[in-house]
Amino acid sequence: MKRRMSALHTAGRWLARHQILLGGLLLAALLVPPLRRALESGMATHMLLQFPALIVAGGLLAAGLSPAWRQRLDACNAHGMAGLVFAALVLALAMVPRLLDLVLVDARIEVLKLAGLLLCGAALRLTWQAAGTVVQGFFLGNTLPMMAIAGTLYEEAPARVCNAYRLDEQQFVGLALIWVASALAALWLAQVGWRLTRPYTPAAPKAAR
Amino acid sequence: MMGRTTALSVFFALLAYAAGAWLTHDFQIWTAEGARRLEVALAPVPAPATPLHGPGMADTPLPRLLTEGGGVTIVDFVYTRCQTVCLALGSTFQQLQATIQEGQRNSPAGAKSAGGVKLLSISFDPAHDDPAALAAYASRLRADPRIWRFATARDATALRPLLDQFQVVVIPDGMGGFEHNAALLVVDGKGRLVRIFDYADMDTALAWAQHLAATQTHTAKAEGSAG
C-alpha cells in the first residue's frame, strides 16, 4: 500500500513536471511570431483557438507554482472566489470586439491580452477545486451566458464588429461561442450530477504535498 | 482570509472596470470602428502628406488637395473592381453630387466658390487603379470633375501612412476582392478629418459638411476683416 502510494506520488510529480514542460512548449509555440500572426489572421482561430490555448497553457504552467506561493495565494482566495472573479473579468474583457482589432495594431495591448489569458488559465487551475459546486456554479452562471450573449450579438450583427475580420467569420465565431458555452454548461452539470448521485465514499486522507 | 479575498476581488473588479472603461471609451463604443469615429470627432486627425495622383491630376500632397479652394471635402476609400459596398458608396456619392449640383443651381452666387462641399474618392488599390482606370470609373459614375475627384497613390507603400492615419482597414474578402471599413469621411478646409459617417447617413453627412463649410467661410471672413 505504502509502495503504491509512493509510486503514485512519483508518477504525480513526474506528471507535474511534464505539465510545466507542456505548458512551456505550448506557450512558446503560441508566442512564435509567425504562428501568432497566423492564428490572429482569422477571427475564428484568434478567439476559438488562441484564447483557449493560452488559458490551457496558463493552467499547465500554474503547476510549477511552489507550495509556499500556493499557500500565499490561497490565503487571499477563500473558496477560490478571488481567482474566479479574476477569470470572469478577463473573459468579459476578452469578449469586447474592439480588443480583437486593437491587439493587431498595438503591441502593448497584445502583451496585456496574452498575460491576462495566461493568468486566467492559472487562476482557474488554482481555484477550481477550492471553489466547490456553489461558487463554480455562480462563476459559470455569469460567464457562460455572457459568452452565449456575445455569440448571439456576433452572429446577428448586420455589420462587421471587427475591422480586421470578415462578416462570415464573425457569424461562425458567434455560433461557435453559443455552442461552446452550451457544451461547457452541459459538461459541468453532468459532472455535478454524477458527483451527487455517486454512492458516498469517505474521502481518502490527503497525501502530503 | 475572507477579508483579504474580498479586498483582492474588489481590486480585480476595479482594475477590470478601469480597463473596460478605457477599452470602450467609458462604455460608449464596443468596436474599433466605433472608437475610430469617436476619436476623430473628439480630436481632428490631420491628413498626412501622401502624394496622390488621378485623372488630370499630377502628384499632389493630400493636404493641398483638400485645402485648395477652401471648402469641405467628403472622402471615401474605394477600389474600382469592387462589386459590393463600393457600388453602394458609388451611388451614395452620385446622390451627394446630385444634391450639391442642385444646391449650386439654386444659389448661383455660391456656385464653385469657397464654402462648397467637394467629393474625393481615394482608391486603396493603386496596383490596379491607375489614373486611366480611375478615369473610366469616374465616367461610369458620371462624376462631375468640378465636384467629385478621384485619386490614388503611386503604390501600396506610399498609401500606407494615409490608411494608417485615417485607420482605414482593408482585408482580402476571400473572393479576390477586398473588405474594408467603408464610410464617409468629412475633412475640413484645413485638411483635418473631423467626422466619420455611415454611408447610410449620407444626408446627415452632407448637412454636417455644408454647415461646417458655411461656418468656415464665416470664420475666414471674420478673420480676414479683423486682419
Side-chain angles (χ1 to χ4, degrees):
Chain A
M1 183 67 191
K2 210 172 175 187
R3 234 210 216 137
R4 231 181 99 204
M5 285 299 289
S6 94
L8 269 177
H9 193 65
T10 321
R13 266 173 56 183
W14 180 84
L15 201 69
R17 241 181 262 139
H18 214 66
Q19 278 185 59
I20 302 164
L21 183 71
L22 278 175
L25 284 175
L26 181 57
L27 178 60
L30 290 170
L31 292 183
V32 174
L35 186 63
R36 187 170 59 83
R37 273 196 292 271
L39 284 178
E40 291 177 354
S41 69
M43 190 177 185
T45 46
H46 192 173
M47 255 192 127
L48 301 174
L49 218 59
Q50 193 203 45
F51 281 19
L54 283 165
I55 290 171
V56 168
L60 289 171
L61 285 171
L65 210 62
S66 75
W69 263 104
R70 179 84 208 241
Q71 221 163 18
R72 240 171 277 172
L73 284 181
D74 286 345
C76 42
N77 194 17
H79 306 293
M81 282 200 291
L84 290 187
V85 164
F86 178 81
L89 292 169
V90 169
L91 291 174
L93 287 172
M95 297 286 154
V96 176
R98 185 184 179 207
L99 187 79
L100 292 180
D101 269 333
L102 205 53
V103 298
L104 302 177
V105 293
D106 193 329
R108 295 166 306 169
I109 310 299
E110 172 74 339
V111 169
L112 286 176
K113 180 203 88 179
L114 296 170
L117 287 168
L118 280 171
L119 289 172
C120 170
L124 286 173
R125 164 74 181 271
L126 295 173
T127 60
W128 195 251
Q129 289 306 324
T133 307
V134 175
V135 179
Q136 285 175 5
F138 188 74
F139 165 78
L140 292 178
N142 275 296
T143 304
L144 296 181
M146 178 190 70
M147 196 188 274
I149 289 170
T152 314
L153 291 175
Y154 279 24
E155 199 206 350
E156 289 181 355
R160 296 183 304 146
V161 294
C162 289
N163 282 340
Y165 300 120
R166 297 196 312 261
L167 188 63
D168 58 330
E169 265 188 309
Q170 173 183 320
Q171 288 162 345
F172 171 77
V173 168
L175 202 61
L177 282 177
I178 299 172
W179 277 104
V180 168
S182 316
L184 288 176
L187 275 176
W188 183 76
L189 286 174
Q191 174 255 347
V192 169
W194 177 76
R195 239 175 338 132
L196 289 179
T197 52
R198 186 173 55 155
Y200 176 75
T201 44
K206 249 188 185 169
R209 263 203 263 258
Chain B
M1 183 169 169
M2 206 59 211
R4 265 191 276 177
T5 303
T6 312
L8 192 60
S9 302
V10 169
F11 171 71
F12 286 151
L14 290 175
L15 205 65
Y17 181 83
W22 179 83
L23 188 62
T24 61
H25 282 285
D26 288 322
F27 306 99
Q28 295 179 79
I29 51 92
W30 301 91
T31 63
E33 185 59 16
R36 166 171 96 129
R37 294 181 185 194
L38 187 61
E39 284 161 11
V40 162
L42 292 174
V45 179
T50 308
L52 297 182
H53 61 193
M57 184 202 302
D59 266 0
T60 314
L62 177 59
R64 203 193 314 156
L65 205 59
L66 294 166
T67 52
E68 69 186 1
V72 171
T73 313
I74 300 181
V75 178
D76 74 339
F77 285 82
V78 297
Y79 68 109
T80 63
R81 287 177 296 148
C82 182
Q83 295 302 315
T84 54
V85 209
C86 316
L87 282 183
L89 263 181
S91 88
T92 302
F93 261 44
Q94 281 175 313
Q95 290 174 54
L96 286 175
Q97 174 177 274
T99 315
I100 294 169
Q101 280 171 332
E102 202 177 325
Q104 287 183 347
R105 269 196 298 276
N106 292 342
S107 61
K112 72 181 174 24
S113 73
V117 175
K118 299 175 294 183
L119 305 174
L120 174 63
S121 292
I122 301 176
S123 166
F124 52 73
D125 185 19
H128 181 269
D129 295 338
D130 53 14
L134 288 175
Y137 186 61
S139 73
R140 202 155 70 228
L141 293 173
R142 295 193 187 83
D144 175 351
R146 289 169 307 160
I147 296 171
W148 185 2
R149 288 183 295 178
F150 294 79
T152 192
R154 276 188 311 278
D155 51 38
T157 321
L159 196 62
R160 184 94 312 243
L162 172 58
L163 299 184
D164 286 346
Q165 183 93 336
F166 283 180
Q167 292 186 51
V168 176
V169 182
V170 182
I171 54 166
D173 70 357
M175 292 172 290
F178 300 103
E179 196 151 2
H180 60 111
N181 48 346
L184 301 172
L185 283 64
V186 180
V187 180
D188 71 5
K190 292 175 182 151
R192 302 176 310 167
L193 171 58
V194 288
R195 251 335 150 82
I196 300 176
F197 293 92
D198 257 345
Y199 56 86
D201 297 332
M202 114 189 151
D203 295 330
T204 320
L206 183 59
W208 203 84
Q210 280 169 332
H211 173 74
L212 183 63
T215 329
Q216 261 179 198
T217 324
H218 186 74
T219 317
K221 271 183 192 152
E223 277 169 4
S225 62

